[in-house]
Protein backbone atom coordinates (compact mmCIF):
# COMPACT_ATOMS: atom_id res chain seq x y z
CA UNK A 1 0.00 0.00 0.00
CA UNK A 2 1.06 3.58 -0.58
CA UNK A 3 -0.32 6.93 0.52
CA UNK A 4 -1.69 7.66 -2.98
CA UNK A 5 -4.13 4.74 -2.47
CA UNK A 6 -5.99 6.67 0.23
CA UNK A 7 -8.32 9.67 0.08
CA UNK A 8 -7.32 13.14 1.28
CA UNK A 9 -6.81 13.36 5.02
CA UNK A 10 -4.82 10.14 5.38
CA UNK A 11 -1.12 10.15 6.25
CA UNK A 12 1.69 7.61 6.43
CA UNK A 13 3.38 7.16 9.79
CA UNK A 14 6.41 5.02 10.64
CA UNK A 15 5.79 1.65 12.27
CA UNK A 16 6.08 1.26 16.05
CA UNK A 17 9.22 0.02 17.77
CA UNK A 18 10.36 -3.31 16.30
CA UNK A 19 11.46 -4.56 19.75
CA UNK A 20 7.83 -4.38 20.87
CA UNK A 21 6.77 -6.19 17.69
CA UNK A 22 9.22 -9.03 18.31
CA UNK A 23 8.11 -9.43 21.93
CA UNK A 24 4.48 -9.57 20.77
CA UNK A 25 5.37 -12.09 18.05
CA UNK A 26 7.07 -14.34 20.61
CA UNK A 27 4.04 -14.23 22.92
CA UNK A 28 1.68 -15.06 20.04
CA UNK A 29 3.84 -17.95 18.78
CA UNK A 30 4.06 -19.37 22.30
CA UNK A 31 0.31 -19.00 22.76
CA UNK A 32 -0.37 -20.75 19.43
CA UNK A 33 2.11 -23.49 20.33
CA UNK A 34 4.45 -23.10 17.35
CA UNK A 35 8.06 -22.01 16.99
CA UNK A 36 8.53 -18.29 16.38
CA UNK A 37 10.11 -19.12 13.00
CA UNK A 38 7.04 -21.11 11.90
CA UNK A 39 4.88 -18.04 12.30
CA UNK A 40 7.38 -15.22 11.78
CA UNK A 41 10.19 -16.65 9.67
CA UNK A 42 12.94 -14.80 7.85
CA UNK A 43 11.46 -15.11 4.36
CA UNK A 44 11.68 -12.08 2.06
CA UNK A 45 9.00 -9.56 2.94
CA UNK A 46 7.84 -6.01 2.33
CA UNK A 47 5.81 -3.93 4.74
CA UNK A 48 3.93 -0.69 4.25
CA UNK A 49 4.00 2.19 6.69
CA UNK A 50 0.92 2.52 8.85
CA UNK A 51 -1.67 4.74 7.19
CA UNK A 52 -3.96 6.71 9.47
CA UNK A 53 -6.79 9.21 9.18
CA UNK A 54 -8.16 11.99 11.37
CA UNK A 55 -10.24 9.43 13.32
CA UNK A 56 -6.99 7.62 14.23
CA UNK A 57 -8.08 4.59 12.22
CA UNK A 58 -5.28 2.65 10.54
CA UNK A 59 -4.49 0.33 7.64
CA UNK A 60 -1.20 -1.46 7.02
CA UNK A 61 -0.07 -4.26 4.75
CA UNK A 62 2.70 -6.83 4.61
CA UNK A 63 3.69 -9.34 1.94
CA UNK A 64 5.82 -12.39 2.75
CA UNK A 65 7.19 -14.55 -0.08
CA UNK A 66 7.63 -18.20 0.88
CA UNK A 67 9.73 -20.88 -0.82
CA UNK A 68 6.64 -22.63 -2.24
CA UNK A 69 2.87 -22.43 -2.51
CA UNK A 70 2.63 -25.37 -0.07
CA UNK A 71 4.64 -23.47 2.56
CA UNK A 72 2.44 -20.42 2.06
CA UNK A 73 -0.68 -22.57 2.40
CA UNK A 74 0.69 -24.09 5.64
CA UNK A 75 1.34 -20.59 6.99
CA UNK A 76 -2.18 -19.52 6.10
CA UNK A 77 -3.48 -22.60 7.92
CA UNK A 78 -1.83 -21.46 11.15
CA UNK A 79 -3.37 -17.98 11.05
CA UNK A 80 -6.75 -19.38 10.02
CA UNK A 81 -6.85 -21.57 13.15
CA UNK A 82 -9.12 -20.80 16.08
CA UNK A 83 -6.10 -20.97 18.39
CA UNK A 84 -4.27 -18.22 16.50
CA UNK A 85 -7.35 -16.03 16.49
CA UNK A 86 -7.86 -16.49 20.22
CA UNK A 87 -4.22 -15.58 20.87
CA UNK A 88 -4.49 -12.45 18.72
CA UNK A 89 -7.69 -11.47 20.56
CA UNK A 90 -5.84 -11.65 23.86
CA UNK A 91 -3.03 -9.44 22.55
CA UNK A 92 -5.51 -6.91 21.17
CA UNK A 93 -7.43 -6.80 24.46
CA UNK A 94 -4.23 -6.17 26.40
CA UNK A 95 -3.21 -3.42 24.00
CA UNK A 96 -6.59 -1.64 24.20
CA UNK A 97 -6.68 -1.92 27.99
CA UNK A 98 -3.18 -0.42 28.25
CA UNK A 99 -4.02 2.42 25.85
CA UNK A 100 -7.09 3.60 27.82
CA UNK A 101 -5.87 3.01 31.39
CA UNK A 102 -7.07 5.47 33.97
CA UNK A 103 -10.14 6.72 35.70
CA UNK A 104 -13.34 6.57 33.74
CA UNK A 105 -12.01 3.84 31.42
CA UNK A 106 -13.30 0.30 31.03
CA UNK A 107 -13.20 -2.48 28.43
CA UNK A 108 -16.20 -4.72 27.75
CA UNK A 109 -16.37 -8.30 26.52
CA UNK A 110 -14.27 -9.01 23.45
CA UNK A 111 -15.82 -10.77 20.46
CA UNK A 112 -14.08 -12.66 17.68
CA UNK A 113 -15.90 -13.02 14.37
CA UNK A 114 -15.26 -14.39 10.91
CA UNK A 115 -15.41 -11.64 8.29
CA UNK A 116 -16.53 -12.17 4.71
CA UNK A 117 -14.20 -10.27 2.38
CA UNK A 118 -14.97 -12.17 -0.82
CA UNK A 119 -12.57 -14.25 -2.88
CA UNK A 120 -9.05 -12.92 -3.27
CA UNK A 121 -5.99 -14.78 -4.52
CA UNK A 122 -5.84 -18.56 -4.11
CA UNK A 123 -6.99 -18.75 -0.47
CA UNK A 124 -8.20 -16.18 2.02
CA UNK A 125 -9.02 -15.98 5.71
CA UNK A 126 -10.32 -12.94 7.54
CA UNK A 127 -11.53 -12.19 11.03
CA UNK A 128 -12.36 -9.27 13.29
CA UNK A 129 -11.67 -8.67 16.96
CA UNK A 130 -14.18 -6.22 18.47
CA UNK A 131 -13.68 -4.54 21.83
CA UNK A 132 -16.36 -2.32 23.34
CA UNK A 133 -14.91 0.35 25.61
CA UNK A 134 -15.93 3.35 27.65
CA UNK A 135 -13.69 6.33 28.24
CA UNK A 136 -14.88 9.25 30.36
CA UNK A 137 -18.54 8.45 29.62
CA UNK A 138 -17.93 8.02 25.87
CA UNK A 139 -18.86 4.54 24.55
CA UNK A 140 -17.50 3.07 21.34
CA UNK A 141 -16.31 -0.19 19.83
CA UNK A 142 -12.80 -0.72 18.52
CA UNK A 143 -12.49 -3.25 15.70
CA UNK A 144 -9.27 -4.81 14.48
CA UNK A 145 -9.60 -6.54 11.09
CA UNK A 146 -7.11 -9.17 9.92
CA UNK A 147 -7.10 -10.62 6.41
CA UNK A 148 -4.48 -12.94 4.96
CA UNK A 149 -4.55 -13.91 1.29
CA UNK A 150 -2.37 -16.55 -0.31
CA UNK A 151 -1.25 -15.60 -3.80
CA UNK A 152 0.73 -18.59 -5.10
CA UNK A 153 3.76 -18.66 -2.75
CA UNK A 154 3.14 -15.26 -1.16
CA UNK A 155 1.02 -14.24 1.80
CA UNK A 156 -0.60 -10.81 1.75
CA UNK A 157 -1.66 -9.52 5.17
CA UNK A 158 -3.87 -6.48 5.62
CA UNK A 159 -4.56 -5.17 9.10
CA UNK A 160 -7.06 -2.44 9.82
CA UNK A 161 -8.09 -0.70 13.03
CA UNK A 162 -11.26 1.34 13.22
CA UNK A 163 -13.74 2.59 15.74
CA UNK A 164 -17.52 2.61 15.53
CA UNK A 165 -17.67 6.39 15.25
CA UNK A 166 -14.99 6.63 12.54
CA UNK A 167 -15.19 6.89 8.77
CA UNK A 168 -13.38 3.69 7.66
CA UNK A 169 -15.86 1.02 6.51
CA UNK A 170 -15.63 -2.71 5.86
CA UNK A 171 -16.11 -1.97 2.14
CA UNK A 172 -13.07 0.34 2.26
CA UNK A 173 -11.06 -2.42 3.92
CA UNK A 174 -12.06 -4.93 1.23
CA UNK A 175 -11.07 -2.43 -1.49
CA UNK A 176 -7.58 -2.08 0.03
CA UNK A 177 -7.29 -5.86 0.39
CA UNK A 178 -8.15 -6.30 -3.29
CA UNK A 179 -5.58 -3.67 -4.28
CA UNK A 180 -2.81 -5.30 -2.20
CA UNK A 181 -3.67 -8.74 -3.60
CA UNK A 182 -3.63 -7.58 -7.23
CA UNK A 183 -0.31 -5.80 -6.77
CA UNK A 184 1.20 -8.97 -5.33
CA UNK A 185 -0.14 -11.05 -8.24
CA UNK A 186 1.42 -8.59 -10.70
CA UNK A 187 4.77 -8.58 -8.87
CA UNK A 188 4.94 -12.39 -8.75
CA UNK A 189 4.23 -12.66 -12.49
CA UNK A 190 6.99 -10.14 -13.21
CA UNK A 191 9.54 -11.97 -11.04
Amino acid sequence: MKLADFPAGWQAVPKDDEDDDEATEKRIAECVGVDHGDLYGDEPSAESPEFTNEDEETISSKVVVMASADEASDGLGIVASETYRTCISGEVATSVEESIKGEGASVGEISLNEVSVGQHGDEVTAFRVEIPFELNGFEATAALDFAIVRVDRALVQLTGYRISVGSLTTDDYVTYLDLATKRTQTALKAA
Side-chain angles (χ1 to χ4, degrees):
M1 304 293 309
K2 51 190 175 183
L3 188 56
D5 298 330
F6 294 87
W10 283 75
Q11 60 183 346
V13 295
K15 287 281 191 175
D16 291 338
D17 186 2
E18 287 188 22
D19 291 339
D20 290 343
D21 289 347
E22 188 171 337
T24 301
E25 288 175 358
K26 287 180 178 179
R27 284 192 306 272
I28 292 169
E30 185 176 317
C31 177
V32 174
V34 298
D35 290 334
H36 180 267
D38 291 342
L39 200 51
Y40 305 101
D42 58 359
E43 292 84 4
S45 64
E47 194 166 358
S48 76
E50 190 169 79
F51 300 100
T52 186
N53 65 14
E54 62 275 356
D55 296 321
E56 296 183 13
E57 298 172 305
T58 64
I59 293 274
S60 62
S61 63
K62 181 177 183 176
V63 176
V64 178
V65 180
M66 313 291 272
S68 69
D70 287 342
E71 270 190 40
S73 190
D74 290 346
L76 183 73
I78 293 172
V79 297
S81 73
E82 192 64 33
T83 302
Y84 177 84
R85 293 171 182 207
T86 300
C87 294
I88 288 289
S89 296
E91 284 294 323
V92 170
T94 299
S95 177
V96 169
E97 287 171 350
E98 288 177 4
S99 71
I100 65 167
K101 276 184 183 173
E103 289 185 42
S106 65
V107 175
E109 188 173 328
I110 296 167
S111 63
L112 176 62
N113 303 297
E114 189 80 17
V115 175
S116 177
V117 294
Q119 181 56 45
H120 301 274
D122 299 307
E123 296 177 83
V124 64
T125 187
F127 61 97
R128 175 177 297 141
V129 179
E130 290 184 317
I131 304 117
F133 67 91
E134 184 175 341
L135 184 59
N136 299 321
F138 173 77
E139 293 182 8
T141 299
L144 192 57
D145 290 322
F146 294 91
I148 298 93
V149 176
R150 182 179 70 81
V151 177
D152 189 29
R153 62 190 182 101
L155 293 176
V156 179
Q157 176 183 320
L158 191 72
T159 306
Y161 168 80
R162 58 194 174 91
I163 56 174
S164 53
V165 294
S167 59
L168 184 64
T169 68
T170 300
D171 287 345
D172 295 332
Y173 182 76
V174 171
T175 297
Y176 297 128
L177 179 63
D178 187 53
L179 182 59
T181 300
K182 286 179 178 172
R183 283 194 180 135
T184 302
Q185 288 169 327
T186 301
L188 286 174
K189 286 178 185 173

